[in-house]
């Protein structure tokens, strides 16, 4: 820790501008303003990065590292045409905006000090940057690939990396549109044309050793070892792989556990079985084409995913001369959709967590009833139940229709035909509150739920912050940090609601946070209903006409999604005026980062508890293995 003199204590309440000024004064020559057009924050000499970062954490009070992402500026750099940049967004859990700091490294000698000694939440994020960009983090305790296998050749997010069947850097591809000569690229590309193997690889003698280092770290080899148990009983110390299978691990996800009898002494989460190239695809798409792709991240929360992304791009668009912000009705509709989505998320999370505890299917099927009504509403407004693709830059896809109608496809189909506002009003004022009350009555004082969850999966307040956890996982450990209050967006500043928080840091606390948050969402929705009435007839798109291009620069848009902070870091570069495709498109996925402390939370637990601890985090593999 850096000693902070009493007269410097007010630095922890300093504004972002004051904090940056102090950094430049304290580290002359090592910290400089990022003067690129459309960029913010400071650039730090990587030789001083650890010292600067420690000062940012200890003296300036930015105790929460939200995002750490790499950007390849091949041909677009200021200091070098071939540099790679690490971009960090640090926040105070007391609230406020981001202190953005960056460091740059040569692409060939790509090395940056690890920030894990300061923020443990940098762990998985740095491994991701190593995996996809080849940034070697000196001092990282476990620098291995995290989404790809150890034998993968190259770093696929770099600008000069080409995949098999590569067509072009940007969509739309000429093989599809507008040339009109539609064909599958595989039909005209010889298999293997763009596939490159390392020179020392002999495919005829290939042997997978990607897990060798993992097992070596556990120090057990392949043999069980006789040890004295914690209670003096001789037990076998063994390694067990749980997963990758679904649904017991909430997707194709694997946990490697070292066991002393039935007690977990060490656990490592292993992912990468569902890596979907989301960010690579996102940089080939146009900005607009990415909106429906965000639906597929956390497919339980597509409305919230849309919201985070359009907020990021709207920050870039706001730099243009012709930009007009969304109308008030647009903001009301957006909050309506994301708060209903939060309820859907938490009903789903609690239901499947009960599955993990052994209450198979009955509770989750019971909770599905109200979820289905909400999805009926989404289908009416957006045209889709789960992949809603509803939000647009400066607006939304459509206003609420007067009636909710469905089509009879079969002879005895029951056709839905309701007044939309009446349906919505009854759902918000009666049905959802009744479902939450029943859930509370059946579960909160249930002896089995309490015995199985209290004191299990413990995460301390300090670790919750330091590991960059978010959402109910963070607030269940006593940290009242909710972006809707800490760094408000949309119309949340004018809405009356409380931040749900619990203090015991265990599975039961996370359940209680979700229960409270659903009640707070209902409280918000009841305030939205009159706003829908008095904004009726107002446009749901701004006067801004989106041209398909955005001004150059960077932006970070973040929202409080059901699983925690969902952030989108987008860069528009490659043209001096405006660009149609993101240069960098990065997702700060809560399901991914919230897994960082899973090993800490599982240590000392029983085998039967591990899946339930995982369920209490509430992950979706779609955004974990982006």
């Amino acid at each position: 820790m850096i000693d902070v003199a009493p007269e410097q204590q007010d630095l922890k309440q300093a504004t972002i501008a004051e904090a940056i000024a102090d950094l430049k004064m304290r580290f002359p020559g090592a910290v400089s303003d990022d003067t690129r057009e459309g960029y913010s924050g400071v650039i730090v000499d990587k030789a001083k990065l650890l010292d600067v970062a420690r000062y940012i954490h200890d003296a300036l009070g930015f105790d929460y590292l939200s995002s750490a992402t790499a950007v390849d500026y091949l041909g677009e750099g200021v200091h070098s045409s071939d540099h790679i940049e690490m971009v960090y967004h640090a926040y105070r859990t007391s609230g406020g905006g981001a202190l953005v700091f960056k460091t740059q490294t040569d692409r060939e000698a790509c090395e940056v000090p690890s920030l894990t000694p300061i923020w443990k939440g940098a762990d998985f994020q740095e491994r991701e940057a190593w995996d996809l960009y080849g940034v070697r983090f000196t001092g990282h305790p476990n620098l291995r690939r995290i989404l790809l296998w150890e034998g993968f050749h190259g770093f696929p997010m770099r600008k000069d990396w080409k995949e098999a069947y590569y067509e072009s850097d940007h969509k739309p591809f000429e093989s599809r549109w507008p040339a009109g000569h539609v064909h599958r690229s595989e039909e005209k590309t010889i298999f293997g044309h763009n596939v490159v193997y390392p020179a020392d690889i002999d495919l005829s003698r290939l042997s997978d050793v990607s897990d060798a280092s993992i097992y070596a770290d556990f120090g057990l080899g392949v043999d069980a070892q006789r040890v004295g148990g914690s209670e003096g009983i001789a037990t076998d110390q063994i390694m067990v792989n749980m997963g990758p299978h679904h649904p017991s691990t909430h997707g194709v996800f694997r946990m490697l556990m070292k066991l002393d009898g039935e007690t977990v002494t060490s656990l490592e989460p292993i992912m990468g079985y569902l890596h979907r190239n989301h960010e690579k695809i996102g940089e080939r798409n146009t900005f607009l084409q990415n909106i429906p792709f965000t639906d597929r991240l956390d497919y339980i929360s597509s409305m919230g995913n849309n919201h985070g992304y359009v907020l990021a791009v709207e920050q870039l668009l706001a730099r243009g001369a012709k930009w007009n912000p969304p109308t008030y009705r647009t903001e009301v509709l957006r909050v309506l959709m994301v708060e209903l989505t939060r309820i859907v998320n938490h009903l789903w999370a609690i239901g499947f967590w009960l599955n993990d505890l052994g209450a198979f299917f009955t509770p989750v099927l019971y909770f599905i009833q109200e979820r289905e009504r909400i999805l009926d509403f989404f289908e009416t407004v957006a045209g889709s139940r789960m992949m809603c693709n509803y939000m647009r830059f400066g607006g939304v896809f459509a206003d609420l229709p007067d009636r909710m109608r469905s089509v009879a496809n079969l002879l005895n189909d029951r056709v839905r035909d309701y007044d939309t506002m009446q349906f919505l009003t009854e759902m918000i004022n009666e049905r959802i509150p009744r479902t939450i009350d029943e859930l509370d009555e059946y579960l909160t004082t249930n002896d089995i739920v309490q015995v199985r969850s209290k004191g299990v999966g413990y995460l301390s307040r300090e670790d919750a912050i330091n590991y960059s956890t978010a959402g109910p996982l963070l607030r269940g450990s006593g940290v009242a940090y909710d972006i809707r209050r800490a760094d408000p967006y949309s119309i949340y500043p004018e809405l009356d609601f409380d931040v749900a928080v619990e203090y015991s840091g265990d599975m039961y606390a996370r359940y209680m946070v979700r229960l409270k948050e659903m009640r707070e969402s209902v409280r918000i929705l009841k305030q939205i209903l009159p706003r829908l009435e008095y904004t009726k007839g107002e446009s749901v798109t701004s006067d801004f006409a989106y041209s398909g291009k955005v001004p150059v620069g960077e932006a970070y848009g973040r929202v409080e999604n059901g699983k925690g902070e969902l952030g989108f870091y987008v860069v528009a570069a490659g043209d001096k005026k405006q660009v149609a495709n993101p240069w960098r498109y990065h997702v700060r996925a809560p399901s991914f980062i919230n897994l960082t402390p899973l090993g800490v939370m599982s240590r000392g637990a029983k085998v039967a508890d591990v899946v339930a601890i995982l369920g209490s985090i509430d992950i979706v593999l779609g955004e974990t293995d982006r």
Side-chain angles (χ1 to χ4, degrees), residues 62-77:
F62 290 87
D63 53 348
Y64 187 79
L65 183 67
S66 165
S67 175
T69 182
V71 186
D72 182 2
Y73 281 104
L74 179 62
E76 288 295 317

mmCIF file with all atom_site columns, all heavy atoms in Angstrom, residues 62-77:
data_model
loop_
_atom_site.group_PDB
_atom_site.id
_atom_site.type_symbol
_atom_site.label_atom_id
_atom_site.label_alt_id
_atom_site.label_comp_id
_atom_site.label_asym_id
_atom_site.label_entity_id
_atom_site.label_seq_id
_atom_site.pdbx_PDB_ins_code
_atom_site.Cartn_x
_atom_site.Cartn_y
_atom_site.Cartn_z
_atom_site.occupancy
_atom_site.B_iso_or_equiv
_atom_site.pdbx_formal_charge
_atom_site.auth_seq_id
_atom_site.auth_comp_id
_atom_site.auth_asym_id
_atom_site.auth_atom_id
_atom_site.pdbx_PDB_model_num
ATOM 1   N N   . PHE A 1 62 ? -9.411  4.544  -6.641  1.00 0.00 ? 62 PHE A N   1
ATOM 2   C CA  . PHE A 1 62 ? -10.095 3.794  -7.692  1.00 0.00 ? 62 PHE A CA  1
ATOM 3   C C   . PHE A 1 62 ? -9.875  2.301  -7.422  1.00 0.00 ? 62 PHE A C   1
ATOM 4   O O   . PHE A 1 62 ? -8.966  1.677  -7.954  1.00 0.00 ? 62 PHE A O   1
ATOM 5   C CB  . PHE A 1 62 ? -9.584  4.211  -9.071  1.00 0.00 ? 62 PHE A CB  1
ATOM 6   C CG  . PHE A 1 62 ? -10.006 5.597  -9.459  1.00 0.00 ? 62 PHE A CG  1
ATOM 7   C CD1 . PHE A 1 62 ? -9.253  6.707  -9.100  1.00 0.00 ? 62 PHE A CD1 1
ATOM 8   C CD2 . PHE A 1 62 ? -11.188 5.802  -10.159 1.00 0.00 ? 62 PHE A CD2 1
ATOM 9   C CE1 . PHE A 1 62 ? -9.653  7.989  -9.443  1.00 0.00 ? 62 PHE A CE1 1
ATOM 10  C CE2 . PHE A 1 62 ? -11.602 7.081  -10.509 1.00 0.00 ? 62 PHE A CE2 1
ATOM 11  C CZ  . PHE A 1 62 ? -10.826 8.187  -10.148 1.00 0.00 ? 62 PHE A CZ  1
ATOM 12  N N   . ASP A 1 63 ? -10.737 1.767  -6.573  1.00 0.00 ? 63 ASP A N   1
ATOM 13  C CA  . ASP A 1 63 ? -10.536 0.416  -6.058  1.00 0.00 ? 63 ASP A CA  1
ATOM 14  C C   . ASP A 1 63 ? -11.141 -0.667 -6.933  1.00 0.00 ? 63 ASP A C   1
ATOM 15  O O   . ASP A 1 63 ? -10.973 -1.856 -6.673  1.00 0.00 ? 63 ASP A O   1
ATOM 16  C CB  . ASP A 1 63 ? -11.121 0.298  -4.637  1.00 0.00 ? 63 ASP A CB  1
ATOM 17  C CG  . ASP A 1 63 ? -12.583 0.752  -4.557  1.00 0.00 ? 63 ASP A CG  1
ATOM 18  O OD1 . ASP A 1 63 ? -13.076 1.361  -5.513  1.00 0.00 ? 63 ASP A OD1 1
ATOM 19  O OD2 . ASP A 1 63 ? -13.216 0.512  -3.517  1.00 0.00 ? 63 ASP A OD2 1
ATOM 20  N N   . TYR A 1 64 ? -11.836 -0.284 -8.011  1.00 0.00 ? 64 TYR A N   1
ATOM 21  C CA  . TYR A 1 64 ? -12.585 -1.242 -8.821  1.00 0.00 ? 64 TYR A CA  1
ATOM 22  C C   . TYR A 1 64 ? -12.114 -1.161 -10.271 1.00 0.00 ? 64 TYR A C   1
ATOM 23  O O   . TYR A 1 64 ? -12.342 -0.151 -10.949 1.00 0.00 ? 64 TYR A O   1
ATOM 24  C CB  . TYR A 1 64 ? -14.080 -0.935 -8.729  1.00 0.00 ? 64 TYR A CB  1
ATOM 25  C CG  . TYR A 1 64 ? -14.980 -1.951 -9.387  1.00 0.00 ? 64 TYR A CG  1
ATOM 26  C CD1 . TYR A 1 64 ? -15.292 -3.145 -8.755  1.00 0.00 ? 64 TYR A CD1 1
ATOM 27  C CD2 . TYR A 1 64 ? -15.550 -1.708 -10.629 1.00 0.00 ? 64 TYR A CD2 1
ATOM 28  C CE1 . TYR A 1 64 ? -16.138 -4.073 -9.347  1.00 0.00 ? 64 TYR A CE1 1
ATOM 29  C CE2 . TYR A 1 64 ? -16.398 -2.623 -11.228 1.00 0.00 ? 64 TYR A CE2 1
ATOM 30  C CZ  . TYR A 1 64 ? -16.685 -3.803 -10.589 1.00 0.00 ? 64 TYR A CZ  1
ATOM 31  O OH  . TYR A 1 64 ? -17.521 -4.722 -11.177 1.00 0.00 ? 64 TYR A OH  1
ATOM 32  N N   . LEU A 1 65 ? -11.453 -2.211 -10.741 1.00 0.00 ? 65 LEU A N   1
ATOM 33  C CA  . LEU A 1 65 ? -11.018 -2.276 -12.139 1.00 0.00 ? 65 LEU A CA  1
ATOM 34  C C   . LEU A 1 65 ? -12.125 -2.949 -12.938 1.00 0.00 ? 65 LEU A C   1
ATOM 35  O O   . LEU A 1 65 ? -12.294 -4.162 -12.878 1.00 0.00 ? 65 LEU A O   1
ATOM 36  C CB  . LEU A 1 65 ? -9.710  -3.053 -12.273 1.00 0.00 ? 65 LEU A CB  1
ATOM 37  C CG  . LEU A 1 65 ? -9.149  -3.116 -13.702 1.00 0.00 ? 65 LEU A CG  1
ATOM 38  C CD1 . LEU A 1 65 ? -8.691  -1.738 -14.172 1.00 0.00 ? 65 LEU A CD1 1
ATOM 39  C CD2 . LEU A 1 65 ? -7.999  -4.113 -13.788 1.00 0.00 ? 65 LEU A CD2 1
ATOM 40  N N   . SER A 1 66 ? -12.849 -2.151 -13.683 1.00 0.00 ? 66 SER A N   1
ATOM 41  C CA  . SER A 1 66 ? -13.988 -2.685 -14.424 1.00 0.00 ? 66 SER A CA  1
ATOM 42  C C   . SER A 1 66 ? -13.547 -3.457 -15.651 1.00 0.00 ? 66 SER A C   1
ATOM 43  O O   . SER A 1 66 ? -13.971 -4.590 -15.879 1.00 0.00 ? 66 SER A O   1
ATOM 44  C CB  . SER A 1 66 ? -14.915 -1.537 -14.838 1.00 0.00 ? 66 SER A CB  1
ATOM 45  O OG  . SER A 1 66 ? -15.830 -1.960 -15.817 1.00 0.00 ? 66 SER A OG  1
ATOM 46  N N   . SER A 1 67 ? -12.685 -2.850 -16.464 1.00 0.00 ? 67 SER A N   1
ATOM 47  C CA  . SER A 1 67 ? -12.390 -3.425 -17.769 1.00 0.00 ? 67 SER A CA  1
ATOM 48  C C   . SER A 1 67 ? -10.915 -3.277 -18.095 1.00 0.00 ? 67 SER A C   1
ATOM 49  O O   . SER A 1 67 ? -10.298 -2.245 -17.807 1.00 0.00 ? 67 SER A O   1
ATOM 50  C CB  . SER A 1 67 ? -13.233 -2.731 -18.857 1.00 0.00 ? 67 SER A CB  1
ATOM 51  O OG  . SER A 1 67 ? -12.893 -3.177 -20.146 1.00 0.00 ? 67 SER A OG  1
ATOM 52  N N   . ALA A 1 68 ? -10.346 -4.316 -18.703 1.00 0.00 ? 68 ALA A N   1
ATOM 53  C CA  . ALA A 1 68 ? -8.977  -4.280 -19.230 1.00 0.00 ? 68 ALA A CA  1
ATOM 54  C C   . ALA A 1 68 ? -9.013  -4.958 -20.596 1.00 0.00 ? 68 ALA A C   1
ATOM 55  O O   . ALA A 1 68 ? -9.325  -6.148 -20.681 1.00 0.00 ? 68 ALA A O   1
ATOM 56  C CB  . ALA A 1 68 ? -8.008  -4.993 -18.291 1.00 0.00 ? 68 ALA A CB  1
ATOM 57  N N   . THR A 1 69 ? -8.728  -4.217 -21.636 1.00 0.00 ? 69 THR A N   1
ATOM 58  C CA  . THR A 1 69 ? -8.840  -4.779 -22.973 1.00 0.00 ? 69 THR A CA  1
ATOM 59  C C   . THR A 1 69 ? -7.676  -4.343 -23.848 1.00 0.00 ? 69 THR A C   1
ATOM 60  O O   . THR A 1 69 ? -7.112  -3.263 -23.656 1.00 0.00 ? 69 THR A O   1
ATOM 61  C CB  . THR A 1 69 ? -10.164 -4.362 -23.640 1.00 0.00 ? 69 THR A CB  1
ATOM 62  O OG1 . THR A 1 69 ? -10.267 -4.954 -24.923 1.00 0.00 ? 69 THR A OG1 1
ATOM 63  C CG2 . THR A 1 69 ? -10.267 -2.853 -23.791 1.00 0.00 ? 69 THR A CG2 1
ATOM 64  N N   . ALA A 1 70 ? -7.347  -5.186 -24.802 1.00 0.00 ? 70 ALA A N   1
ATOM 65  C CA  . ALA A 1 70 ? -6.262  -4.895 -25.737 1.00 0.00 ? 70 ALA A CA  1
ATOM 66  C C   . ALA A 1 70 ? -6.829  -4.385 -27.056 1.00 0.00 ? 70 ALA A C   1
ATOM 67  O O   . ALA A 1 70 ? -7.936  -4.754 -27.457 1.00 0.00 ? 70 ALA A O   1
ATOM 68  C CB  . ALA A 1 70 ? -5.432  -6.153 -25.979 1.00 0.00 ? 70 ALA A CB  1
ATOM 69  N N   . VAL A 1 71 ? -6.059  -3.530 -27.721 1.00 0.00 ? 71 VAL A N   1
ATOM 70  C CA  . VAL A 1 71 ? -6.416  -3.015 -29.044 1.00 0.00 ? 71 VAL A CA  1
ATOM 71  C C   . VAL A 1 71 ? -5.169  -3.091 -29.921 1.00 0.00 ? 71 VAL A C   1
ATOM 72  O O   . VAL A 1 71 ? -4.094  -2.655 -29.501 1.00 0.00 ? 71 VAL A O   1
ATOM 73  C CB  . VAL A 1 71 ? -6.925  -1.559 -28.989 1.00 0.00 ? 71 VAL A CB  1
ATOM 74  C CG1 . VAL A 1 71 ? -7.413  -1.112 -30.360 1.00 0.00 ? 71 VAL A CG1 1
ATOM 75  C CG2 . VAL A 1 71 ? -8.015  -1.387 -27.942 1.00 0.00 ? 71 VAL A CG2 1
ATOM 76  N N   . ASP A 1 72 ? -5.318  -3.612 -31.114 1.00 0.00 ? 72 ASP A N   1
ATOM 77  C CA  . ASP A 1 72 ? -4.221  -3.674 -32.080 1.00 0.00 ? 72 ASP A CA  1
ATOM 78  C C   . ASP A 1 72 ? -4.358  -2.503 -33.040 1.00 0.00 ? 72 ASP A C   1
ATOM 79  O O   . ASP A 1 72 ? -5.298  -2.448 -33.837 1.00 0.00 ? 72 ASP A O   1
ATOM 80  C CB  . ASP A 1 72 ? -4.279  -5.008 -32.841 1.00 0.00 ? 72 ASP A CB  1
ATOM 81  C CG  . ASP A 1 72 ? -3.121  -5.146 -33.833 1.00 0.00 ? 72 ASP A CG  1
ATOM 82  O OD1 . ASP A 1 72 ? -2.272  -4.234 -33.897 1.00 0.00 ? 72 ASP A OD1 1
ATOM 83  O OD2 . ASP A 1 72 ? -3.068  -6.168 -34.537 1.00 0.00 ? 72 ASP A OD2 1
ATOM 84  N N   . TYR A 1 73 ? -3.406  -1.565 -32.971 1.00 0.00 ? 73 TYR A N   1
ATOM 85  C CA  . TYR A 1 73 ? -3.440  -0.396 -33.843 1.00 0.00 ? 73 TYR A CA  1
ATOM 86  C C   . TYR A 1 73 ? -2.476  -0.557 -35.011 1.00 0.00 ? 73 TYR A C   1
ATOM 87  O O   . TYR A 1 73 ? -1.694  0.332  -35.310 1.00 0.00 ? 73 TYR A O   1
ATOM 88  C CB  . TYR A 1 73 ? -3.116  0.868  -33.043 1.00 0.00 ? 73 TYR A CB  1
ATOM 89  C CG  . TYR A 1 73 ? -4.286  1.382  -32.238 1.00 0.00 ? 73 TYR A CG  1
ATOM 90  C CD1 . TYR A 1 73 ? -4.343  1.196  -30.861 1.00 0.00 ? 73 TYR A CD1 1
ATOM 91  C CD2 . TYR A 1 73 ? -5.332  2.032  -32.859 1.00 0.00 ? 73 TYR A CD2 1
ATOM 92  C CE1 . TYR A 1 73 ? -5.429  1.658  -30.123 1.00 0.00 ? 73 TYR A CE1 1
ATOM 93  C CE2 . TYR A 1 73 ? -6.422  2.500  -32.132 1.00 0.00 ? 73 TYR A CE2 1
ATOM 94  C CZ  . TYR A 1 73 ? -6.467  2.313  -30.765 1.00 0.00 ? 73 TYR A CZ  1
ATOM 95  O OH  . TYR A 1 73 ? -7.545  2.769  -30.047 1.00 0.00 ? 73 TYR A OH  1
ATOM 96  N N   . LEU A 1 74 ? -2.555  -1.688 -35.671 1.00 0.00 ? 74 LEU A N   1
ATOM 97  C CA  . LEU A 1 74 ? -1.712  -1.943 -36.838 1.00 0.00 ? 74 LEU A CA  1
ATOM 98  C C   . LEU A 1 74 ? -1.969  -0.879 -37.908 1.00 0.00 ? 74 LEU A C   1
ATOM 99  O O   . LEU A 1 74 ? -3.056  -0.800 -38.471 1.00 0.00 ? 74 LEU A O   1
ATOM 100 C CB  . LEU A 1 74 ? -2.005  -3.334 -37.400 1.00 0.00 ? 74 LEU A CB  1
ATOM 101 C CG  . LEU A 1 74 ? -1.208  -3.735 -38.647 1.00 0.00 ? 74 LEU A CG  1
ATOM 102 C CD1 . LEU A 1 74 ? 0.280   -3.773 -38.342 1.00 0.00 ? 74 LEU A CD1 1
ATOM 103 C CD2 . LEU A 1 74 ? -1.680  -5.083 -39.172 1.00 0.00 ? 74 LEU A CD2 1
ATOM 104 N N   . GLY A 1 75 ? -0.975  -0.038 -38.147 1.00 0.00 ? 75 GLY A N   1
ATOM 105 C CA  . GLY A 1 75 ? -1.115  1.006  -39.154 1.00 0.00 ? 75 GLY A CA  1
ATOM 106 C C   . GLY A 1 75 ? -1.882  2.225  -38.702 1.00 0.00 ? 75 GLY A C   1
ATOM 107 O O   . GLY A 1 75 ? -2.038  3.173  -39.470 1.00 0.00 ? 75 GLY A O   1
ATOM 108 N N   . GLU A 1 76 ? -2.358  2.237  -37.444 1.00 0.00 ? 76 GLU A N   1
ATOM 109 C CA  . GLU A 1 76 ? -3.182  3.345  -36.973 1.00 0.00 ? 76 GLU A CA  1
ATOM 110 C C   . GLU A 1 76 ? -2.595  4.033  -35.747 1.00 0.00 ? 76 GLU A C   1
ATOM 111 O O   . GLU A 1 76 ? -3.256  4.856  -35.130 1.00 0.00 ? 76 GLU A O   1
ATOM 112 C CB  . GLU A 1 76 ? -4.588  2.850  -36.635 1.00 0.00 ? 76 GLU A CB  1
ATOM 113 C CG  . GLU A 1 76 ? -5.420  2.493  -37.839 1.00 0.00 ? 76 GLU A CG  1
ATOM 114 C CD  . GLU A 1 76 ? -5.731  3.689  -38.705 1.00 0.00 ? 76 GLU A CD  1
ATOM 115 O OE1 . GLU A 1 76 ? -6.067  4.756  -38.166 1.00 0.00 ? 76 GLU A OE1 1
ATOM 116 O OE2 . GLU A 1 76 ? -5.620  3.560  -39.935 1.00 0.00 ? 76 GLU A OE2 1
ATOM 117 N N   . GLY A 1 77 ? -1.365  3.681  -35.371 1.00 0.00 ? 77 GLY A N   1
ATOM 118 C CA  . GLY A 1 77 ? -0.820  4.189  -34.125 1.00 0.00 ? 77 GLY A CA  1
ATOM 119 C C   . GLY A 1 77 ? -0.310  5.605  -34.222 1.00 0.00 ? 77 GLY A C   1
ATOM 120 O O   . GLY A 1 77 ? -0.081  6.145  -35.300 1.00 0.00 ? 77 GLY A O   1
#
